[in-house]
Amino acid sequence: CRTVVEPRLSTQWFVRTKPLAEPALAAVESGRIEIVPEQWRQVYFHWMHNIRDWCISRQLWWGHRIPAWYCGSCQGITVTRQDPEKCSHCGGDTLLQDEDVLDTWFSSGLWPFSTLGWPDQTTDLKVFYPTSLLITGFDILFFWVARMIMLGLEMTGDVPFRQVYIHALVRDAEKQKMSKTKGNSVEPLEMADKYGTDAVRYFLVAGAAPGTDVVFSEERLAGYQAFANKIWNAARFVFLNLERAEAEPWAPAPGEKFSGLDVPLEDRWIFSRLSSVAEQANRAIEQFRYHEVAHLLYHFIWHEFCDWYLELKKLRFRDGSGLTPEWKNLLTAFEQTLRLLHPLMPFLTEEIWQRLTEKVPGRPKSLALAAYPEYDVHLTDLEAERQIELLRSIITAGRDLRAQMKLDRKAVDGTLYATGEAAAVAARHQEAIRKLANLELAIEAGPAPAAGAMRAHTPDFDLLLRVDTTEMEARRQKLAKELAQLEKARDNSRRQLENQEFLSKAPGAVVDSIRLKLTQYEVQIAKLGENLQQM
């Protein structure tokens, strides 16, 4: 380290950090290095303004041995990159190397350039230094980030990176920092074996909002494992129906969009949504809001692509149809979805994508090398989005009414009172309504009658179910019996919580459980009462 290193004692080595700190401060203040989130800039400045000399010698069994040799003749110190044969002061040959090793943070502070061939001016050093982005935790902002900046500027004359993203720490359920000493740490490999590597990765990204920590939860890990299973099952469903259609696996060529002159509504909708999701994902990534990407893709894939798009496409599957334009649209949408998800779930998406594109000429060797989707204004179709939203509302209303009356799988007749676009959408997509809501629908113009049936009301339509009077009475009696049982359970919970002797003796967890049950009873009672009033 040339003049910035000096021995203070025979067993200690220090770096004078004040001359190193000033250019490192200036690099962040001037914007040559950006620290995100902004709040950590002030922490960095505080450390650097109050910096002290740095002891870089450590008495450990591992690490880089300090390159200093003590002469047994003149007691001089020789510092060199190569093992010396003679003392640089007196020429003596009785040399003993310092037994200490360099501080870990000193060694790792050299990492950005030492790995690229420095001090030689290699091609790698010219191409890859400075690097673009460093991602790390706030607890080593000074110990590592600041040391890399100081050493990079001193040794190369340039900053080691352009941006620093400070991510959250993973804490235990009590929000304590994980520690082997405390015994509250979690073995990541065990979690990966139990829930899957992609699920663990997704959990960490989804919980890493800027300025907050990730609170560890196996329940949430299980939820993201279910999400991974949902994607895997969607892939199996697609490939199974491809086989039934006797169509070869296919994926779009670069730049290819959806196919067909008369594009079905659900295809126009999903491509419009894909374009919008790509825009939001790219913007969030640029702003280091990775948790927003995770939540966005979770909702889109589970609640739009799987729950609605695949269900609507299922109505068009035909055995032996071959690779129709509609199949190409589905596979294009699926392939683009895998690209969007890949940075967050790389293993699952790579496995599916390889099978999907195995016979596509000129494809990238890996999904990691494929272009990330971007916003395409030509795919935006607000009309298709509005029509699908109406169709989803009609189907959901029918499902909700059936659930309220506990009609199970039995087909039910219904009447939709609507005008304008809602009536037109319902008329064009009666098969989807019949299959997905198990509802035979009649469409009437004008307002719905004031009474006489179970109904769902929205600003766009009224949906009424027509149920036989005898069956309606049987359903009403069944719900009334359930309501009476719930009211009895509610009253028992209330009596327990009003009993002071019970409250003084019962464990807190038991009391909390009763309070939770009471809340759930009251919600269920209100809902059943509303259903009975309608019936």
Side-chain angles (χ1 to χ4, degrees):
C1 287
R2 300 196 301 275
T3 59
V4 298
V5 175
E6 61 174 313
R8 295 285 179 83
L9 300 170
S10 60
T11 57
Q12 287 187 305
W13 290 77
F14 285 77
V15 172
R16 294 199 304 269
T17 49
K18 193 68 175 178
L20 299 178
E22 291 174 358
L25 270 167
V28 176
E29 288 173 340
S30 65
R32 290 176 69 192
I33 297 177
E34 178 188 10
I35 297 178
V36 183
E38 178 76 14
Q39 68 200 58
W40 295 111
R41 279 168 50 92
Q42 301 306 318
V43 176
Y44 174 83
F45 292 151
H46 175 77
W47 274 104
M48 301 302 282
H49 281 301
N50 296 278
I51 199 166
R52 298 184 179 183
D53 285 354
W54 174 15
C55 178
I56 61 170
S57 55
R58 295 288 183 269
Q59 293 76 50
L60 300 173
W61 287 105
W62 57 87
H64 293 137
R65 189 87 172 266
I66 289 179
W69 284 260
Y70 300 94
C71 178
S73 301
C74 70
Q75 306 305 313
I77 301 174
T78 299
V79 178
T80 177
R81 293 182 63 200
Q82 305 296 331
D83 291 0
E85 296 180 358
K86 295 181 180 181
C87 173
S88 61
H89 303 282
C90 69
D93 58 2
T94 56
L95 299 176
L96 178 65
Q97 187 176 0
D98 196 311
E99 293 183 353
D100 285 0
V101 297
L102 291 168
D103 174 28
T104 300
W105 299 115
F106 183 88
S107 296
S108 59
L110 306 172
W111 173 82
F113 51 87
S114 63
T115 56
L116 300 175
W118 178 88
D120 297 332
Q121 292 301 307
T122 63
T123 301
D124 284 349
L125 188 64
K126 293 177 182 178
V127 173
F128 297 110
Y129 189 90
T131 58
S132 56
L133 172 65
L134 173 74
I135 299 179
T136 188
F138 69 81
D139 52 337
I140 54 174
L141 175 60
F142 177 73
F143 296 104
W144 191 36
V145 178
R147 315 296 173 93
M148 284 191 285
I149 296 173
M150 289 190 292
L151 293 174
L153 286 166
E154 173 67 20
M155 300 303 167
T156 71
D158 202 352
V159 295
F161 29 71
R162 302 301 185 190
Q163 293 176 308
V164 179
Y165 173 67
I166 305 296
H167 63 67
L169 293 186
V170 182
R171 298 183 180 272
D172 67 11
E174 304 302 322
K175 298 185 179 181
Q176 299 295 314
K177 187 174 180 180
M178 290 190 180
S179 165
K180 291 183 179 179
T181 304
K182 292 181 180 179
N184 65 340
S185 60
V186 174
E187 175 52 57
L189 294 179
E190 291 180 3
M191 294 297 102
D193 287 340
K194 185 174 181 180
Y195 296 103
T197 304
D198 280 331
V200 174
R201 183 186 181 100
Y202 210 93
F203 161 73
L204 294 174
V205 175
T212 63
D213 287 336
V214 180
V215 178
F216 180 76
S217 166
E218 283 205 49
E219 183 179 354
R220 290 188 63 196
L221 272 175
Y224 291 120
Q225 182 188 42
F227 178 53
N229 288 338
K230 182 82 170 180
I231 298 164
W232 187 255
N233 287 334
R236 291 178 59 192
F237 172 77
V238 168
F239 289 128
L240 176 62
N241 282 279
L242 264 179
E243 292 176 4
R244 290 177 175 173
E246 299 177 9
E248 290 293 327
W250 177 90
E256 185 172 353
K257 305 302 180 185
F258 54 79
S259 304
L261 297 176
D262 186 16
V263 181
L265 174 64
E266 66 271 12
D267 288 337
R268 291 164 47 206
W269 166 69
I270 202 64
F271 279 103
S272 182
R273 291 294 302 131
L274 272 167
S275 180
S276 176
V277 168
E279 179 187 29
Q280 296 175 66
N282 279 284
R283 183 169 61 247
I285 290 171
E286 289 173 1
Q287 297 173 352
F288 304 101
R289 303 187 70 82
Y290 303 118
H291 68 294
E292 291 184 3
V293 183
H295 294 305
L296 171 70
L297 295 182
Y298 182 94
H299 173 79
F300 170 73
I301 293 172
W302 191 306
H303 301 299
E304 294 185 75
F305 187 88
C306 292
D307 285 356
W308 287 102
Y309 180 63
L310 287 183
E311 289 299 313
L312 290 169
K313 293 302 288 184
K314 187 190 298 184
L315 306 178
R316 300 183 186 274
F317 288 156
R318 299 290 183 273
D319 290 353
S321 65
L323 191 60
T324 62
E326 288 185 1
W327 260 115
K328 290 184 177 181
N329 292 339
L330 168 60
L331 296 175
T332 299
F334 191 36
E335 196 262 356
Q336 289 293 302
T337 300
L338 294 174
R339 292 190 187 214
L340 282 169
L341 184 63
H342 182 67
L344 280 71
M345 283 190 163
F347 300 101
L348 173 65
T349 52
E350 183 73 41
E351 177 73 21
I352 297 172
W353 188 84
Q354 287 291 339
R355 179 175 175 186
L356 179 66
T357 66
E358 61 184 348
K359 296 184 179 180
V360 177
R363 64 158 191 162
K365 292 183 178 180
S366 167
L367 180 51
L369 302 176
Y372 197 71
E374 296 182 355
Y375 173 70
D376 185 344
V377 66
H378 300 100
L379 296 179
T380 300
D381 193 330
L382 299 181
E383 181 184 357
E385 292 191 32
R386 185 171 59 253
Q387 290 182 13
I388 285 290
E389 190 56 40
L390 282 170
L391 179 59
R392 290 168 63 181
S393 296
I394 294 168
I395 293 171
T396 301
R399 288 172 171 175
D400 289 346
L401 287 176
R402 293 174 57 85
Q404 291 172 21
M405 296 184 64
K406 300 188 181 300
L407 293 174
D408 304 321
R409 297 181 178 275
K410 182 178 179 181
V412 179
D413 292 331
T415 303
L416 185 79
Y417 291 87
T419 57
E421 194 169 28
V425 168
R428 283 197 300 269
H429 300 282
Q430 292 228 27
E431 181 185 6
I433 296 171
R434 180 171 60 255
K435 293 289 183 64
L436 300 183
N438 207 1
L439 189 62
E440 292 288 347
L441 196 63
I443 303 171
E444 299 284 349
M454 288 287 289
R455 73 179 59 218
H457 173 74
T458 76
D460 298 300
F461 61 83
D462 284 287
L463 176 61
L464 276 65
L465 295 192
R466 299 192 300 273
V467 182
D468 178 81
T469 304
T470 303
E471 185 172 357
M472 177 74 82
E473 178 60 24
R475 299 291 176 186
R476 192 195 66 77
Q477 291 181 5
K478 184 176 181 180
L479 291 182
K481 184 177 179 181
E482 287 186 21
L483 179 61
Q485 293 174 341
L486 285 170
E487 288 174 339
K488 183 178 180 181
R490 177 201 61 190
D491 295 341
N492 287 336
S493 295
R494 283 179 176 173
R495 279 193 292 272
Q496 285 181 298
L497 294 175
E498 291 169 357
N499 187 331
Q500 296 302 317
E501 183 178 356
F502 170 76
L503 293 177
S504 64
K505 295 180 180 179
V510 173
V511 176
D512 290 341
S513 174
I514 295 174
R515 288 198 178 104
L516 177 61
K517 287 181 180 179
L518 177 59
T519 302
Q520 293 171 341
Y521 291 148
E522 289 174 342
V523 171
Q524 292 172 357
I525 287 169
K527 187 65 177 177
L528 275 179
E530 181 182 340
N531 293 345
L532 278 168
Q533 186 176 6
Q534 286 193 45
M535 294 174 68

